[in-house]
Every structure is written in C-alpha cells, then in structure tokens.
C-alpha cells in the first residue's frame, strides 16, 4: 500500500530519478522501459514496478527513500507522511453509519464520485494491480462509472471475503478521501441511504 501510494506521488521522470538515488542503474531503467511501454501501461503501474524493484533489489527502507528525496531535486518533506498515513477522518461521530456494509444502492451512488481516479481508488482499497488488469479486461465498453462500480463490487464481494475483512462504508470513505474526495460530498450523495 505504501509503495503504491508513493508511486502515485511522482511523475515517471521523478520516479526514475528517485530510483537512481536509491541505487538503480540507468541500464536497468532502460530495460524496464523496454518491458513496460508507458504509452500502453498505466503510468502508476510503471512507477510502482520501478520502485518495487528498487525496494527488493537494494533492501530500501523509508529512511533511505526520505534521504534520497531530500538529496535529489524532488524535495517535499510531507510526501513520506502522506504515504504512510493517508488522510485522517474522524469516524467517531455517527460510527453506526460508517460501519454499514455497502448495498448495491450505496455502490451505485459512490461509483460516480470516484470519477477518473479508478486506479488510485483501487489501490487505496488495498487491491493489487492484478485485480485492476482483470477488471479492466472485463470492460467491453469505456464506461467509467461501470468500471468504478466493478471495482467496488470486486472489493466488497471478493477481496474482502478472501482477506476476511468486513466491507464497510468506513473503508470506502477512507479510500475516497485519500484520493481527494471531500467527505461532505460523500455524505450528501448517501444522505437518504443512512
């Protein structure tokens, strides 16, 4: 999750620069360019693969990443905090509504709110890129709302069952706020369903 969030923070160029600061050779980056054509693959997936290979090849820690960020041109001291914590929400007010298991009506209302942030939303829900590829492969038409609905259904009915997680509105709302959605917008969209 943290590595996926980190991949979402930077452009491909910045990710490559970070990888070099972490010890990756230019030759390896060139080979990755050949394997992952950025015009075909999602940039977030490519950036994740670059960072993942750095982590596994060089046993990189978040302190190493922090030092690399500080030593390079990419200097934002809050990036690591954002990656580790996400956005915090106070669910203590009216916890019973946030502990509801989403119904089809909830999913139908939430899907349009995700907008064009489908991959980021999927990542924030804790799902992996393999799930993303499977869901996108099943998409016959380019319907963004249907794609987001499919992500929510896959998460609710498959991912949560496999990982023995109780799918609640709390998880969904946390994921939505982590991709930049305002909690008031979410509450307004679901007001008559609570």
């Amino acid at each position: 999750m943290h590595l996926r969030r980190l991949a979402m923070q930077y452009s491909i160029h910045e990710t490559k620069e970070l990888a070099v600061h972490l010890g990756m050779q230019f030759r390896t980056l060139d080979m990755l360019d050949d394997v992952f054509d950025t015009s075909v693959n999602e940039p977030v997936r490519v950036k994740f693969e670059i960072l993942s290979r750095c982590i596994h090849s060089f046993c990189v820690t978040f302190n190493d990443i922090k030092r690399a960020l500080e030593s390079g041109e990419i200097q934002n001291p809050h990036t690591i905090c954002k990656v580790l914590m996400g956005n915090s929400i106070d669910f203590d007010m009216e916890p019973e509504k946030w502990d509801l298991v989403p119904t089809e009506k909830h999913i139908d209302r939430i899907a349009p709110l995700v907008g064009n942030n489908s991959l980021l939303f999927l990542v924030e829900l804790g799902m992996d890129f393999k799930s993303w590829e499977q869901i996108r492969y099943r998409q016959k038409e380019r319907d963004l709302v249907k794609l987001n609905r499919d992500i929510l259904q896959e998460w609710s009915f498959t991912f949560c069952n496999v990982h023995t997680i109780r799918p609640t509105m709390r998880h969904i709302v946390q994921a939505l706020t982590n991709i930049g959605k305002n909690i008031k917008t979410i509450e307004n969209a679901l007001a008559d369903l609570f």
Side-chain angles (χ1 to χ4, degrees):
M1 173 68 78
H2 297 132
L3 194 56
R4 290 181 208 145
R5 283 182 183 166
L6 185 64
M8 291 186 281
Q9 299 300 312
Y10 301 111
S11 68
I12 288 179
H13 173 73
E14 291 169 327
T15 304
K16 288 179 178 181
E17 182 180 320
L18 176 59
V20 168
H21 282 286
L22 292 171
M24 187 172 276
Q25 301 291 318
F26 288 107
R27 184 179 64 228
T28 306
L29 283 171
D30 288 341
M31 288 180 354
L32 288 174
D33 280 342
D34 293 340
V35 173
F36 297 105
D37 179 8
T38 56
S39 63
V40 176
N41 293 294
E42 279 80 19
V44 174
R45 172 77 189 269
V46 175
K47 295 182 293 185
F48 173 77
E49 289 295 336
I50 291 169
L51 292 173
S52 180
R53 291 184 189 210
C54 280
I55 300 294
H56 297 301
S57 298
F58 308 112
C59 298
V60 173
T61 66
F62 270 105
N63 282 333
D64 297 328
I65 293 171
K66 182 180 178 194
R67 282 192 292 275
L69 291 172
E70 290 170 349
S71 69
E73 294 176 19
I74 314 167
Q75 296 182 4
N76 184 345
H78 302 293
T79 300
I80 298 295
C81 298
K82 191 174 182 180
V83 166
L84 292 174
M85 294 188 289
N87 297 326
S88 64
I89 299 175
D90 181 17
F91 287 115
D92 292 337
M93 296 182 66
E94 304 178 286
E96 62 280 351
K97 77 179 184 182
W98 303 119
D99 289 331
L100 289 173
V101 173
T103 64
E104 286 296 323
K105 287 184 180 182
H106 289 107
I107 289 173
D108 287 342
R109 298 266 181 93
I110 293 168
L113 298 177
V114 176
N116 197 21
N117 297 304
S118 306
L119 178 58
L120 305 179
F121 183 60
L122 177 134
V123 166
E124 286 298 327
L125 287 172
M127 299 169 73
D128 60 16
F129 289 112
K130 188 171 82 174
S131 298
W132 170 251
E133 291 167 352
Q134 292 168 349
I135 293 168
R136 291 228 19 237
Y137 180 76
R138 290 190 306 251
Q139 282 275 316
K140 301 286 188 253
E141 50 206 49
R142 296 170 80 61
D143 184 348
L144 189 58
V145 174
K146 183 175 179 343
L147 175 66
N148 296 333
R149 189 179 304 115
D150 290 349
I151 290 169
L152 281 162
Q153 289 172 334
E154 179 80 17
W155 177 79
S156 295
F157 303 121
T158 305
F159 179 83
C160 288
N161 284 335
V162 168
H163 293 87
T164 59
I165 298 171
R166 183 172 182 259
T168 63
M169 293 301 297
R170 181 182 306 257
H171 294 290
I172 294 170
V173 171
Q174 184 65 60
L176 284 167
T177 57
N178 284 347
I179 64 168
K181 303 301 176 182
N182 187 306
I183 193 164
K184 291 295 180 197
T185 305
I186 301 163
E187 286 179 315
N188 290 340
L190 300 171
D192 63 322
L193 297 177
F194 285 132

